[in-house]
Amino acid sequence: TVIFDMDGVISDTQKIHSRIETEMVARYGVIITPEEIERRYAGVSLNILFRELLEGKDADISTLIDEKRAIMMQEDVPAIPGSVDLIKTLHIDGYNLAVASGSTLPYIKLSLCKTLF
């Protein structure tokens, strides 16, 4: 059995995440680059990211998380180079394949469909 992480292993989503998060916090006057968000918050929950970046701002974190997830559902998700070929080869060779992710199940399904098919 081979277990893949999705973001950054199968799907090249980090730059998409950080671009959207940068745009969202900018609405509250928080200026941060996508590169800084990647450096500081890659793999960190949205709850922590928004709470830290919007500390002292009048922001509903739950609403922002829902909004971010909805935006991500609309994005095209490119594959990490070589990931699709590896998955296909492993499948043909009879390996059991699984995905582990901190993302929501609807996003995982959509992202994998966009990435793999």
Side-chain angles (χ1 to χ4, degrees):
T1 299
V2 179
I3 303 172
F4 290 92
D5 185 18
M6 187 179 71
D7 293 307
V9 176
I10 297 173
S11 303
D12 194 2
T13 55
Q14 189 57 55
K15 291 195 183 324
I16 298 168
H17 283 293
S18 59
R19 174 183 48 83
I20 293 167
E21 292 156 0
T22 297
E23 293 167 1
M24 291 180 75
V25 299
R27 297 188 312 219
Y28 294 88
V30 176
I31 306 304
I32 186 169
T33 66
E35 295 78 18
E36 180 68 9
I37 284 186
E38 284 181 43
R39 187 182 70 70
R40 290 175 52 190
Y41 295 103
V44 173
S45 74
L46 288 175
N47 193 1
I48 292 171
L49 179 145
F50 285 132
R51 286 196 189 287
E52 286 185 9
L53 291 177
L54 299 175
E55 185 176 358
K57 307 288 184 183
D58 185 23
D60 182 333
I61 302 301
S62 294
T63 299
L64 288 171
I65 290 170
D66 290 343
E67 179 184 349
K68 164 77 186 319
R69 289 180 175 153
I71 292 168
M72 286 300 295
M73 296 291 279
Q74 303 303 313
E75 293 290 319
D76 288 326
V77 180
I80 295 288
S83 64
V84 174
D85 290 337
L86 175 60
I87 290 166
K88 287 179 180 179
T89 298
L90 292 170
H91 176 71
I92 289 168
D93 289 347
Y95 285 87
N96 295 311
L97 304 174
V99 174
S101 179
S103 295
T104 64
L105 187 56
Y107 180 70
I108 292 168
K109 289 179 179 181
L110 180 65
S111 180
L112 289 176
C113 285
K114 287 181 176 182
T115 301
L116 298 175
F117 303 107

